[in-house]
Each structure stands twice: as C-alpha cells, then as structure tokens.
Amino acid sequence: MSAPQAAPARNASRAVWLKNLHQWHWISSALCLLGMLLFSVTGITLNHAAQIEAKPSVTRQQAGLPAPLAASLAAYAAAHDGERAALPAAAEQWLRDTWSLKAGGRPAEWSADEVYLPLAKAGGDAWVRIALPDGAAEYENTDRGWISWLNDVHKGRNTGPAWNWFIDIFAGTCLLFCLTGLLILKFHAANRPFTWPMVGLGILVPCAIALLFIH
C-alpha cells in the first residue's frame, strides 16, 4: 500500500480506536461517579478522623429468657463449651421478638455459664450476653454517628459480603476508567504538548512525598 493510501487507513483506524476508548471512558466514569464521590469524601474524613469529634450513643437493655429456652440454651452450651457456634433458631427468634435483632447465624461464644453474641456493624458496635444459670439477657448497642458509618463503609469494615463485592467491582471499573483515560491522552498528546509533563507530574509528586515524608 502506498503512503497516500496508508494515511487514510491509519486515520480511520485511529478514529475507531478513539471512538471506542471514549465510549468505554464515559461508561466507566458514569458507573464510578457515586462511588468516586463517596470514597473521595470519606478519604478526607478518614484522614482527619482525629480532628472530627465523635460522640457515641450507647443504649443498654435487659430482659429475661423464658425458663424452657434458658434450659435448652444451658444444655446446648454444655455440649459446645469453648466453641463458636450460631444460636439455636429459638434463641434467634427470641432476639427478634424482644429487641428486633437479627442474629443471622452469626457465631456466638459459648461457655458453661454464659453465651456472648458479638454483633459488629458499620459505624458502631453491639452485643448480647446471656447468663445461662438464670436466663438474664443484656443487650448493648453503640452508635458512633454517620461519619463513623461512612468511614467503615469506605474500609469495608463490618459491611457484609455484598458491599465487599461492590468495592471489588468498583475498583475494577475505576481501573478501566484510568486506563482508557491514559490511552485517550496518548492519542491526543501530539497536539497537546503539556500532556506527558502533566502525567509525569501526577506520578512524581505522590512518589516524592512517599519517599521523603513517609517513614
């Protein structure tokens, strides 16, 4: 193919590549928009967690198990002493009826005289303790506020498998967004002389700060 014929072919191929890159770039940016805003804001709140005052709200409640349920839990505890195992279905139902708690099969810590159920959650903490000799139950719930909740969501702390999957998919979409943006820069770099100096600056600044100031 002669040079005059090759140039239009190269231009056509370049136009197809740019069209596809722009399409994937805007699609990935649209999918990432809310996640990027969320993770950017919570990145600031995490970085200044010591300066953002949190006032935890603690709620405590007490109740007594019915005697038959307490007896069955005591027998269950004797068979699972020192183990971590989920509460029996009857005990989980009692928690739902009494405090609207959903244990969801979470493992509890069993001993001969007590069962302790941790209920960790984003933005706070909760637990239930049941004294087996008399069936006395205690529930404590700690809420550290919406900023703490957002920070835990950022870290994927106590957020469940669905959110953890979202973080992985979101990270992959952000990677696609960055790579397509880089390739678009490459195509336009010839007409924009500051493209690669700006890219280099974006790489150099965080690397220099990490090497010089992180110890």
Side-chain angles (χ1 to χ4, degrees):
M1 183 181 294
S2 63
Q5 293 174 325
R10 285 197 301 269
N11 290 337
S13 177
R14 182 177 184 274
V16 171
W17 270 103
L18 264 177
K19 180 181 179 181
N20 289 330
L21 286 172
H22 277 289
Q23 184 173 11
W24 282 107
H25 191 65
W26 80 256
I27 290 173
S28 58
S29 68
L31 292 173
C32 290
L33 176 60
L34 181 59
M36 282 187 173
L37 290 173
L38 171 66
F39 281 88
S40 297
V41 171
T42 52
I44 296 173
T45 58
L46 277 169
N47 198 40
H48 296 277
Q51 288 80 38
I52 300 174
E53 185 178 0
K55 297 180 178 179
S57 172
V58 181
T59 303
R60 295 184 179 89
Q61 299 184 52
Q62 295 180 339
L65 270 70
L69 179 58
S72 66
L73 284 184
Y76 189 86
H80 295 81
D81 188 15
E83 297 180 7
R84 289 176 57 85
L87 293 174
E92 290 197 356
Q93 183 63 50
W94 183 84
L95 290 178
R96 284 194 294 270
D97 295 340
T98 305
W99 291 315
S100 299
L101 291 179
K102 296 180 181 179
R106 300 189 193 191
E109 301 171 10
W110 295 86
S111 65
D113 58 352
E114 179 184 273
V115 55
Y116 175 80
L117 176 65
L119 297 167
K121 60 178 183 176
D125 193 18
W127 52 262
V128 173
R129 180 182 289 114
I130 301 172
L132 297 176
D134 57 3
E138 181 183 7
Y139 165 55
E140 180 176 292
N141 179 59
T142 302
D143 186 352
R144 297 187 179 90
W146 66 270
I147 292 181
S148 178
W149 184 86
L150 287 174
N151 289 344
D152 284 347
V153 165
H154 181 109
K155 295 182 289 186
R157 178 178 178 270
N158 300 322
T159 51
W163 184 257
N164 289 335
W165 273 105
F166 168 78
I167 291 177
D168 289 340
I169 295 171
F170 168 73
T173 309
C174 286
L175 184 61
L176 177 63
F177 174 71
C178 293
L179 291 177
T180 53
L182 181 62
L183 291 173
I184 290 171
L185 287 176
K186 177 182 180 297
F187 275 99
H188 290 298
N191 299 321
R192 298 173 183 175
F194 283 102
T195 296
W196 295 125
M198 294 300 294
V199 172
L201 186 65
I203 296 173
L204 179 62
V205 169
C207 289
I209 293 174
L211 291 173
L212 295 175
F213 300 106
I214 298 178
H215 303 289

